[in-house]
């Protein structure tokens, strides 16, 4: 983790999907940069473990349970952020799924998806982002807070290789642009980050399902190594690479950016999807 320079001092941030992977890294980096963090997740045990790591250091974090697909829970989470942290200045949405767990034979082919499988990915990744963003926006506008939002999209927003996942992540990016337009006059900035291949549970599951339905770990490692070798920077991303982009898009250093997508992707979009 890079040395913190307290760029988010005093900010009150709600983070979805914050119990694991990119969301957990963002929660920890935000706290290290001086933000008070509401860690939200479906798993209370995992979410509280992230809070404990933050609170055992010099940070401040609280937990609130949130399944992003449940509208009432989204409303309650924003209300809890206001009550527990005194308001909401920053939202980061990281909760997401790569594919429906039972889609077969290809988990990422549009034509192999049932209506329920396609809808599940859209529900979590896109509608879940919408619910959290709408609730945060209503609170920020009502209190005259010049807040920020960062949605975790993906390089898949620009690459038609991921079926429902790519559709959902393109939607997330467009949602950021629509909200940037709507909320700009209130001083609220909305941007997206579009990571490439970041070594988390989500990517490891994708690697396993891509190579072999039986889940051969050696083949999955070879698949990951091949992805890394094809990138201009020749390595997979880390959760901290993405957290750095989220800190930047939340800090005053990005004061004139809204409606943008920033790609911590080792050069993937630049080299394969037109920049
Ligand atoms: N890992 C990558 O290579 C990569 C690349 C681009 C984008 N992303 C995006 O990054 C985000 C985080 O993924 P990750 O890679 O850290 O994997 P991850 O599996 O560790 O994190 C995803 C989190 O979302 C949570 N989640 C799933 N459904 C939820 C729901 N209904 N309500 C609340 N939480 C829910 C999971 O429990 C998990 O904690 C996702 O949106 C993913 O699409 C990841």
């Amino acid at each position: 983790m890079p040395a913190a320079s307290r760029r988010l001092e005093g900010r009150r941030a709600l983070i979805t999907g914050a119990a694991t992977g990119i969301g957990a890294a963002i929660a920890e980096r935000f706290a290290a940069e001086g933000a008070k963090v509401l860690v939200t997740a479906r798993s209370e045990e995992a979410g509280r473990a992230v809070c404990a790591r933050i609170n055992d250091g010099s940070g401040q974090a609280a937990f609130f349970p949130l399944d992003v697909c449940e509208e009432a829970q989204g409303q309650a989470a924003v209300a809890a952020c206001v009550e527990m942290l005194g308001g909401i200045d920053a939202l980061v949405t990281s909760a997401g799924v790569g594919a429906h767990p039972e889609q077969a034979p290809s988990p990422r082919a549009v034509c192999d998806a049932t209506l329920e499988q396609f809808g599940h990915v859209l529900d979590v990744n896109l509608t879940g982002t919408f619910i959290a963003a709408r609730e945060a926006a209503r609170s920020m506008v009502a209190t005259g807070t010049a807040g920020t939002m960062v949605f975790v999209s993906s390089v898949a927003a620009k690459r038609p290789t991921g079926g429902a996942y790519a559709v959902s992540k393109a939607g997330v990016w467009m949602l950021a642009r629509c909200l940037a337009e709507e909320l700009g006059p209130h001083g609220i900035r909305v941007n997206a980050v579009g990571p490439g291949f970041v070594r988390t549970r989500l990517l490891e599951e994708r690697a396993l399902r891509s190579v072999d339905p039986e889940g051969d770990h050696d083949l999955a490692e070879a698949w990951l190594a091949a992805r890394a070798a094809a990138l201009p920077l020749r390595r997979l991303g880390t959760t901290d690479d993405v957290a750095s982009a989220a800190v930047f898009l939340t800090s005053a250093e990005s004061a004139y950016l809204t409606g943008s997508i920033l790609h911590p992707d080792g050069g993937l979009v630049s080299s394969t999807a037109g920049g």
Side-chain angles (χ1 to χ4, degrees), residues 17 19-23 41-42 66-69 94-97 124-125 152-155 165 169 195-203:
T20 65
I22 290 169
R42 285 176 305 180
L66 174 60
D67 180 329
V68 295
C69 298
S94 189
V97 290
V124 178
N125 293 358
V152 180
S153 175
S154 167
V155 291
Y165 182 73
K169 291 299 185 178
F197 297 110
V198 181
R199 185 141 197 161
T200 63
R201 190 181 56 192
L202 185 143
L203 184 64

Side-chain angles (χ1 to χ4, degrees), residues 1 9 53 85 91 116 124 138 141 159 161 163 166 189 203 232 242 260 270-271:
M1 187 190 295
E9 192 71 56
R53 283 205 297 275
L85 306 187
L91 171 72
E116 195 257 328
V124 178
R138 286 178 175 169
V141 170
R159 299 175 82 226
T161 55
R189 300 187 295 109
L203 184 64
V242 185
S260 290
S270 169
S271 68

Side-chain angles (χ1 to χ4, degrees), residues 172-237:
V172 165
W173 178 29
M174 184 53 78
L175 182 65
R177 296 167 67 186
C178 290
L179 284 170
E181 193 82 14
E182 249 178 85
L183 298 173
H186 297 277
I188 299 167
R189 300 187 295 109
V190 187
N191 291 290
V193 285
F197 297 110
V198 181
R199 185 141 197 161
T200 63
R201 190 181 56 192
L202 185 143
L203 184 64
E204 285 169 358
E205 275 169 15
R206 180 180 164 200
L208 278 171
R209 292 181 79 185
S210 296
V211 291
D212 171 15
E214 302 303 314
D216 182 312
H217 285 267
D218 290 341
L219 287 176
E221 285 303 326
W223 185 92
L224 288 167
R227 303 279 96 58
L231 293 171
L233 290 183
R234 300 287 193 273
R235 68 168 175 88
L236 298 177

Side-chain angles (χ1 to χ4, degrees), residues 75-123:
Q75 291 167 335
V78 170
C81 190
V82 172
E83 196 180 314
M84 296 161 88
L85 306 187
I88 179 165
D89 307 290
L91 171 72
V92 181
T93 59
S94 189
V97 290
H100 189 283
E102 280 154 25
Q103 184 177 322
S106 165
R108 292 169 79 91
V110 171
C111 295
D112 289 340
T114 64
L115 184 60
E116 195 257 328
Q117 289 165 347
F118 193 85
H120 171 73
V121 177
L122 270 286
D123 281 350

